[in-house]
Protein backbone atom coordinates (compact mmCIF):
# COMPACT_ATOMS: atom_id res chain seq x y z
CA UNK A 1 0.00 0.00 0.00
CA UNK A 2 1.21 3.46 -0.87
CA UNK A 3 1.52 5.63 2.20
CA UNK A 4 0.48 9.25 1.95
CA UNK A 5 0.52 11.54 4.95
CA UNK A 6 -0.82 15.06 4.99
CA UNK A 7 -0.12 17.39 7.87
CA UNK A 8 -1.55 20.86 8.26
CA UNK A 9 -1.22 22.99 11.35
CA UNK A 10 -2.36 26.54 11.83
CA UNK A 11 -1.80 28.32 15.13
CA UNK A 12 -3.92 31.42 15.65
CA UNK A 13 -3.56 31.92 19.40
CA UNK A 14 -0.37 33.60 20.59
CA UNK A 15 0.69 33.60 24.21
CA UNK A 16 3.19 35.93 25.80
CA UNK A 17 6.53 34.27 26.54
CA UNK A 18 9.72 35.27 28.34
CA UNK A 19 12.00 36.60 25.58
CA UNK A 20 15.07 35.63 27.60
CA UNK A 21 14.14 31.98 27.09
CA UNK A 22 12.11 31.81 23.86
CA UNK A 23 12.06 33.83 20.64
CA UNK A 24 10.64 33.68 17.14
CA UNK A 25 12.80 32.66 14.17
CA UNK A 26 14.49 35.62 12.49
CA UNK A 27 13.47 34.20 9.11
CA UNK A 28 9.71 33.80 8.88
CA UNK A 29 9.50 30.93 6.37
CA UNK A 30 11.04 27.53 5.93
CA UNK A 31 11.21 24.55 3.57
CA UNK A 32 11.94 21.10 4.92
CA UNK A 33 12.72 17.58 3.81
CA UNK A 34 12.51 14.68 6.20
CA UNK A 35 12.92 10.91 6.42
CA UNK A 36 10.78 8.87 8.79
CA UNK A 37 10.01 5.39 10.00
CA UNK A 38 6.81 4.46 11.82
CA UNK A 39 6.27 1.24 13.83
CA UNK A 40 3.26 -0.32 15.57
CA UNK A 41 4.03 -3.30 17.83
CA UNK A 42 2.37 -5.66 20.30
CA UNK A 43 4.81 -6.74 23.04
CA UNK A 44 4.66 -9.57 25.57
CA UNK A 45 7.13 -9.43 28.47
CA UNK A 46 7.45 -12.72 30.39
CA UNK A 47 8.55 -12.51 34.02
CA UNK A 48 10.00 -16.02 34.48
CA UNK A 49 12.16 -16.22 31.35
CA UNK A 50 12.84 -12.47 31.09
CA UNK A 51 12.06 -12.84 27.40
CA UNK A 52 10.06 -10.54 25.14
CA UNK A 53 7.84 -11.63 22.26
CA UNK A 54 7.02 -8.91 19.74
CA UNK A 55 4.58 -8.67 16.82
CA UNK A 56 5.69 -5.77 14.66
CA UNK A 57 4.42 -4.01 11.56
CA UNK A 58 6.56 -3.85 8.44
CA UNK A 59 5.93 -0.54 6.71
CA UNK A 60 8.25 1.28 4.30
CA UNK A 61 10.26 4.28 5.40
CA UNK A 62 8.86 7.59 4.22
CA UNK A 63 10.31 10.67 2.53
CA UNK A 64 8.54 13.98 3.02
CA UNK A 65 8.62 17.68 2.20
CA UNK A 66 7.02 20.63 3.92
CA UNK A 67 6.57 24.38 4.11
CA UNK A 68 6.66 26.40 7.35
CA UNK A 69 5.55 29.92 8.18
CA UNK A 70 5.43 31.49 11.62
CA UNK A 71 4.11 28.83 14.00
CA UNK A 72 2.30 26.88 11.26
CA UNK A 73 3.29 24.18 8.79
CA UNK A 74 2.14 22.03 5.91
CA UNK A 75 3.86 18.75 4.99
CA UNK A 76 3.44 15.66 2.83
CA UNK A 77 5.23 12.31 2.90
CA UNK A 78 5.30 9.19 0.74
CA UNK A 79 6.30 5.62 1.47
CA UNK A 80 8.04 3.75 -1.35
CA UNK A 81 7.43 -0.01 -1.41
CA UNK A 82 11.08 -0.75 -2.21
CA UNK A 83 11.99 0.81 1.16
CA UNK A 84 10.24 -2.05 2.98
CA UNK A 85 12.10 -5.20 4.11
CA UNK A 86 10.30 -7.76 1.93
CA UNK A 87 11.60 -10.70 3.99
CA UNK A 88 9.43 -9.61 6.94
CA UNK A 89 6.05 -9.72 5.28
CA UNK A 90 3.88 -6.78 4.28
CA UNK A 91 1.72 -4.48 6.38
CA UNK A 92 -1.38 -2.94 4.82
CA UNK A 93 -2.21 0.20 6.69
CA UNK A 94 -3.96 3.52 7.02
CA UNK A 95 -2.04 5.81 9.36
CA UNK A 96 -2.64 9.37 10.43
CA UNK A 97 -0.85 11.27 13.17
CA UNK A 98 -1.23 14.90 14.15
CA UNK A 99 0.94 16.57 16.79
CA UNK A 100 0.08 20.09 17.91
CA UNK A 101 2.82 21.86 19.87
CA UNK A 102 1.26 25.07 21.12
CA UNK A 103 2.64 27.51 23.67
CA UNK A 104 0.39 26.19 26.42
CA UNK A 105 -0.90 22.86 25.14
CA UNK A 106 0.25 19.65 23.52
CA UNK A 107 -2.17 17.47 21.53
CA UNK A 108 -1.36 14.10 19.93
CA UNK A 109 -3.94 12.50 17.63
CA UNK A 110 -3.60 8.91 16.38
CA UNK A 111 -5.55 6.94 13.79
CA UNK A 112 -3.93 3.60 12.96
CA UNK A 113 -5.30 0.56 11.11
CA UNK A 114 -2.58 -2.03 10.49
CA UNK A 115 -2.94 -5.51 8.98
CA UNK A 116 0.00 -7.89 8.62
CA UNK A 117 2.74 -8.41 11.23
CA UNK A 118 5.83 -10.51 11.81
CA UNK A 119 7.10 -11.82 15.15
CA UNK A 120 10.43 -12.16 16.90
CA UNK A 121 11.72 -12.65 20.44
CA UNK A 122 14.63 -11.17 22.36
CA UNK A 123 17.12 -13.58 20.75
CA UNK A 124 15.91 -13.40 17.14
CA UNK A 125 15.22 -9.73 16.47
CA UNK A 126 17.83 -9.41 13.72
CA UNK A 127 17.05 -12.79 12.11
CA UNK A 128 14.85 -13.14 9.04
CA UNK A 129 11.49 -14.59 10.19
CA UNK A 130 10.28 -17.89 8.80
CA UNK A 131 6.86 -18.25 7.15
CA UNK A 132 5.24 -19.41 10.39
CA UNK A 133 6.34 -16.15 12.08
CA UNK A 134 4.56 -13.93 9.55
CA UNK A 135 0.87 -13.18 10.18
CA UNK A 136 -0.76 -11.45 7.18
CA UNK A 137 -4.27 -11.51 8.73
CA UNK A 138 -3.42 -10.14 12.16
CA UNK A 139 -5.12 -6.74 12.61
CA UNK A 140 -4.40 -3.99 15.12
CA UNK A 141 -6.43 -0.79 15.23
CA UNK A 142 -5.61 2.10 17.52
CA UNK A 143 -7.32 5.50 17.69
CA UNK A 144 -6.99 8.16 20.32
CA UNK A 145 -5.98 11.56 21.63
CA UNK A 146 -3.49 12.67 24.27
CA UNK A 147 -3.69 16.16 25.76
CA UNK A 148 -1.23 17.95 28.05
CA UNK A 149 -0.97 21.40 29.61
CA UNK A 150 2.48 23.05 29.83
CA UNK A 151 2.70 24.76 33.21
CA UNK A 152 5.92 26.72 32.56
CA UNK A 153 4.78 27.88 29.14
CA UNK A 154 6.45 31.29 29.32
CA UNK A 155 9.96 29.78 29.46
CA UNK A 156 9.64 26.26 28.05
CA UNK A 157 8.65 25.60 24.43
CA UNK A 158 7.57 22.21 23.10
CA UNK A 159 7.31 23.79 19.65
CA UNK A 160 10.99 24.75 19.68
CA UNK A 161 12.01 21.18 20.46
CA UNK A 162 9.69 19.09 18.28
CA UNK A 163 8.06 21.30 15.64
CA UNK A 164 10.90 23.85 15.31
CA UNK A 165 8.45 26.76 15.10
CA UNK A 166 10.30 28.74 17.79
CA UNK A 167 13.83 28.97 19.22
CA UNK A 168 14.71 27.96 22.79
CA UNK A 169 17.44 30.42 23.80
CA UNK A 170 18.03 29.29 27.38
CA UNK A 171 17.55 25.89 29.03
CA UNK A 172 14.20 25.35 30.74
CA UNK A 173 11.79 22.62 31.78
CA UNK A 174 8.13 22.26 32.67
CA UNK A 175 5.62 20.03 34.39
CA UNK A 176 3.22 18.43 31.90
CA UNK A 177 -0.28 17.52 33.10
CA UNK A 178 -3.15 16.08 31.08
CA UNK A 179 -5.08 13.02 30.06
CA UNK A 180 -5.79 10.64 27.21
CA UNK A 181 -8.58 8.60 25.62
CA UNK A 182 -7.78 5.65 23.33
CA UNK A 183 -9.51 2.78 21.59
CA UNK A 184 -7.63 -0.38 20.56
CA UNK A 185 -8.70 -3.64 18.94
CA UNK A 186 -6.91 -6.88 18.07
CA UNK A 187 -8.33 -9.32 15.50
CA UNK A 188 -6.99 -12.75 14.43
CA UNK A 189 -4.49 -12.56 17.27
CA UNK A 190 -1.75 -15.24 17.04
CA UNK A 191 -1.07 -17.82 19.76
CA UNK A 192 1.97 -16.76 21.75
CA UNK A 193 2.23 -19.61 24.28
CA UNK A 194 0.07 -21.86 26.43
CA UNK A 195 0.61 -19.50 29.36
CA UNK A 196 -0.97 -16.52 27.58
CA UNK A 197 -4.74 -16.19 27.65
CA UNK A 198 -5.15 -14.66 24.20
CA UNK A 199 -8.36 -13.71 22.43
CA UNK A 200 -9.60 -11.11 19.99
CA UNK A 201 -10.48 -8.02 21.97
CA UNK A 202 -11.25 -4.36 21.96
CA UNK A 203 -10.35 -2.01 24.78
CA UNK A 204 -11.32 1.51 25.77
CA UNK A 205 -8.52 3.31 27.63
CA UNK A 206 -8.96 6.58 29.53
CA UNK A 207 -7.14 8.33 32.34
CA UNK A 208 -4.90 11.16 33.57
CA UNK A 209 -1.16 11.56 33.03
CA UNK A 210 1.67 13.63 34.44
CA UNK A 211 5.24 14.13 33.31
CA UNK A 212 8.12 16.48 32.78
CA UNK A 213 9.86 17.96 29.75
CA UNK A 214 13.22 19.69 29.52
CA UNK A 215 14.99 21.62 26.75
CA UNK A 216 18.76 21.78 27.24
CA UNK A 217 20.71 24.41 25.30
CA UNK A 218 24.39 23.49 25.80
CA UNK A 219 25.50 25.75 22.94
CA UNK A 220 23.87 28.70 21.20
CA UNK A 221 22.87 26.65 18.15
CA UNK A 222 22.34 23.24 19.71
CA UNK A 223 19.26 21.82 21.43
CA UNK A 224 18.76 18.52 23.28
CA UNK A 225 15.17 17.92 24.39
CA UNK A 226 13.30 15.16 26.17
CA UNK A 227 9.88 14.68 27.72
CA UNK A 228 8.42 11.70 29.59
CA UNK A 229 4.88 11.15 30.81
CA UNK A 230 3.35 8.39 32.93
CA UNK A 231 -0.38 7.79 32.97
CA UNK A 232 -2.84 5.58 34.82
CA UNK A 233 -5.68 4.31 32.66
CA UNK A 234 -8.98 2.74 33.41
CA UNK A 235 -9.56 0.14 30.69
CA UNK A 236 -12.76 -1.59 29.62
CA UNK A 237 -11.75 -4.77 27.80
CA UNK A 238 -14.27 -6.73 25.73
CA UNK A 239 -13.69 -10.31 24.57
CA UNK A 240 -14.95 -10.32 20.98
CA UNK A 241 -15.68 -14.06 21.10
CA UNK A 242 -17.70 -14.26 24.34
CA UNK A 243 -18.69 -10.56 24.60
CA UNK A 244 -17.62 -10.62 28.26
CA UNK A 245 -16.19 -7.34 29.56
CA UNK A 246 -13.55 -6.71 32.21
CA UNK A 247 -12.46 -3.50 33.90
CA UNK A 248 -8.69 -3.11 34.33
CA UNK A 249 -6.24 -0.54 35.69
CA UNK A 250 -3.18 -0.24 33.44
CA UNK A 251 -0.25 2.17 33.09
CA UNK A 252 0.47 4.20 29.97
CA UNK A 253 3.66 5.93 28.84
CA UNK A 254 4.53 8.69 26.41
CA UNK A 255 8.05 9.81 25.58
CA UNK A 256 9.69 12.07 23.02
CA UNK A 257 13.28 13.08 22.31
CA UNK A 258 14.98 15.49 19.95
CA UNK A 259 18.55 16.59 19.28
CA UNK A 260 19.74 19.00 16.65
CA UNK A 261 21.52 21.99 15.22
CA UNK A 262 19.29 25.09 15.30
CA UNK A 263 20.80 27.81 13.14
CA UNK A 264 19.43 31.01 11.69
CA UNK A 265 19.14 29.49 8.20
CA UNK A 266 19.63 25.75 8.65
CA UNK A 267 18.04 23.33 11.12
CA UNK A 268 19.16 19.69 11.21
CA UNK A 269 17.52 17.40 13.76
CA UNK A 270 16.79 13.82 14.70
CA UNK A 271 13.75 13.00 16.83
CA UNK A 272 11.79 10.07 18.26
CA UNK A 273 8.28 9.73 19.66
CA UNK A 274 6.76 6.73 21.47
CA UNK A 275 3.32 6.12 22.92
CA UNK A 276 2.60 2.94 24.89
CA UNK A 277 -0.69 1.46 26.13
CA UNK A 278 -0.55 -1.52 28.48
CA UNK A 279 -3.27 -4.10 27.81
CA UNK A 280 -2.66 -6.51 30.69
CA UNK A 281 -0.52 -6.52 33.82
CA UNK A 282 -0.52 -10.16 34.98
CA UNK A 283 1.84 -11.99 37.33
CA UNK A 284 3.40 -14.10 34.57
CA UNK A 285 3.50 -11.52 31.77
CA UNK A 286 2.56 -8.03 30.63
CA UNK A 287 1.26 -7.08 27.20
CA UNK A 288 1.34 -3.64 25.62
CA UNK A 289 0.77 -1.73 22.38
CA UNK A 290 3.56 0.60 21.33
CA UNK A 291 3.56 3.07 18.46
CA UNK A 292 6.86 4.78 17.71
CA UNK A 293 8.14 7.18 15.11
CA UNK A 294 11.69 8.13 14.19
CA UNK A 295 12.55 11.02 11.88
CA UNK A 296 15.49 12.98 10.51
CA UNK A 297 14.68 16.52 9.36
CA UNK A 298 16.52 19.25 7.42
CA UNK A 299 14.99 22.74 7.29
CA UNK A 300 16.15 25.77 5.28
CA UNK A 301 14.69 29.02 6.66
CA UNK A 302 14.34 32.17 4.58
CA UNK A 303 12.49 35.47 4.13
CA UNK A 304 10.41 36.45 1.13
CA UNK A 305 11.02 39.70 -0.74
CA UNK A 306 7.27 40.24 -0.79
CA UNK A 307 5.22 39.05 2.16
CA UNK A 308 2.21 36.80 1.60
CA UNK A 309 -0.55 38.69 3.39
CA UNK A 310 -2.66 35.73 4.54
CA UNK A 311 0.42 34.01 6.04
CA UNK A 312 1.32 36.93 8.28
CA UNK A 313 1.07 36.52 12.03
CA UNK A 314 -2.24 37.81 13.33
CA UNK A 315 -3.95 37.77 9.94
CA UNK A 316 -7.70 38.20 10.39
CA UNK A 317 -8.99 34.98 8.77
CA UNK A 318 -12.45 35.37 10.28
CA UNK A 319 -12.83 38.94 9.11
CA UNK A 320 -11.63 38.09 5.61
CA UNK A 321 -14.04 35.19 5.26
CA UNK A 322 -17.13 36.59 6.99
CA UNK A 323 -16.53 40.33 7.04
CA UNK A 324 -16.01 42.64 9.99
CA UNK A 325 -18.42 42.68 12.87
CA UNK A 326 -21.02 45.44 12.66
CA UNK A 327 -21.63 47.67 15.65
CA UNK A 328 -25.24 47.77 16.79
CA UNK A 329 -26.88 50.99 15.73
CA UNK A 330 -28.88 51.94 18.81
CA UNK A 331 -31.03 54.29 16.77
CA UNK A 332 -32.54 51.31 14.96
CA UNK A 333 -33.70 49.69 18.18
CA UNK A 334 -37.34 50.45 18.83
CA UNK A 335 -38.61 49.96 22.31
CA UNK A 336 -42.21 48.88 22.67
Amino acid sequence: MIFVFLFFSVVTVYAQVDSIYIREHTKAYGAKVYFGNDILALDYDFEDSKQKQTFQSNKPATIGMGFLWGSSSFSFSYGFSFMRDKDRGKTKYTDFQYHYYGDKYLVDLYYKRNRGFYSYNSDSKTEIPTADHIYPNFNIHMYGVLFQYVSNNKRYSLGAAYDFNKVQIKSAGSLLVGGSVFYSSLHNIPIVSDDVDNFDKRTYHFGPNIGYGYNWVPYKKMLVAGAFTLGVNGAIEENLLTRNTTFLINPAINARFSIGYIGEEWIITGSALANGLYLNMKEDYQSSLLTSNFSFTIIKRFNLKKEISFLKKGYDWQGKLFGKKKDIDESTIIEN
Side-chain angles (χ1 to χ4, degrees), residues 42-79:
L42 171 63
D43 291 325
Y44 291 89
D45 290 284
F46 297 95
E47 292 294 332
D48 294 340
S49 60
K50 302 300 180 182
Q51 287 284 318
K52 175 183 285 189
Q53 181 77 23
T54 299
F55 297 87
Q56 183 172 305
S57 62
N58 183 29
K59 295 177 282 189
T62 59
I63 300 175
M65 295 182 294
F67 177 68
L68 305 90
W69 67 98
S71 296
S72 306
S73 65
F74 171 86
S75 60
F76 170 86
S77 66
Y78 188 89

Side-chain angles (χ1 to χ4, degrees), residues 115-150:
R115 179 179 180 181
F117 291 77
Y118 71 96
S119 70
Y120 59 86
N121 58 36
S122 302
D123 299 326
S124 62
K125 184 175 182 178
T126 59
E127 299 176 5
I128 296 175
T130 58
D132 57 347
H133 288 88
I134 296 176
Y135 307 91
N137 295 318
F138 181 27
N139 289 267
I140 297 179
H141 298 168
M142 190 183 80
Y143 324 128
V145 57
L146 179 143
F147 167 87
Q148 289 181 329
Y149 172 73
V150 183

Side-chain angles (χ1 to χ4, degrees), residues 38-262:
D38 183 80
I39 295 172
L40 178 62
L42 171 63
D43 291 325
Y44 291 89
D45 290 284
F46 297 95
E47 292 294 332
D48 294 340
S49 60
K50 302 300 180 182
Q51 287 284 318
K52 175 183 285 189
Q53 181 77 23
T54 299
F55 297 87
Q56 183 172 305
S57 62
N58 183 29
K59 295 177 282 189
T62 59
I63 300 175
M65 295 182 294
F67 177 68
L68 305 90
W69 67 98
S71 296
S72 306
S73 65
F74 171 86
S75 60
F76 170 86
S77 66
Y78 188 89
F80 295 91
S81 59
F82 70 86
M83 300 177 73
R84 176 194 292 116
D85 187 345
K86 296 182 179 180
D87 293 327
R88 300 180 187 276
K90 180 180 180 180
T91 299
K92 297 179 180 180
Y93 60 97
T94 302
D95 278 3
F96 173 81
Q97 293 185 53
Y98 172 79
H99 306 287
Y100 169 70
Y101 296 103
D103 293 333
K104 294 184 177 182
Y105 303 104
L106 158 70
V107 180
D108 290 337
L109 292 176
Y110 293 92
Y111 180 89
K112 291 180 171 292
R113 298 172 64 92
N114 286 212
R115 179 179 180 181
F117 291 77
Y118 71 96
S119 70
Y120 59 86
N121 58 36
S122 302
D123 299 326
S124 62
K125 184 175 182 178
T126 59
E127 299 176 5
I128 296 175
T130 58
D132 57 347
H133 288 88
I134 296 176
Y135 307 91
N137 295 318
F138 181 27
N139 289 267
I140 297 179
H141 298 168
M142 190 183 80
Y143 324 128
V145 57
L146 179 143
F147 167 87
Q148 289 181 329
Y149 172 73
V150 183
S151 63
N152 188 22
N153 52 74
K154 295 186 183 299
R155 296 184 175 183
Y156 170 76
S157 174
L158 283 165
Y162 306 106
D163 204 27
F164 319 115
N165 55 27
K166 285 184 172 56
V167 180
Q168 186 82 44
I169 306 171
K170 190 175 180 180
S171 301
S174 176
L175 184 70
L176 307 172
V177 181
S180 64
V181 178
F182 278 88
Y183 166 87
S184 66
S185 67
L186 284 67
H187 298 266
N188 302 319
I189 188 168
I191 297 174
V192 179
S193 73
D194 295 334
D195 299 327
V196 176
D197 183 19
N198 256 2
F199 48 84
D200 289 3
K201 67 183 73 174
R202 61 184 168 202
T203 310
Y204 302 90
H205 317 256
F206 50 91
N209 58 57
I210 186 170
Y212 190 80
Y214 192 79
N215 291 350
W216 179 40
V217 187
Y219 301 99
K220 183 179 179 180
K221 296 183 178 181
M222 184 178 181
L223 177 65
V224 181
F228 181 81
T229 299
L230 179 64
V232 179
N233 281 343
I236 302 173
E237 178 188 87
E238 180 183 359
N239 186 322
L240 295 179
L241 300 177
T242 65
R243 299 301 176 180
N244 292 331
T245 60
T246 306
F247 181 78
L248 306 168
I249 300 294
N250 293 323
I253 59 171
N254 182 274
R256 60 198 78 213
F257 175 79
S258 176
I259 182 171
Y261 168 83
I262 313 294

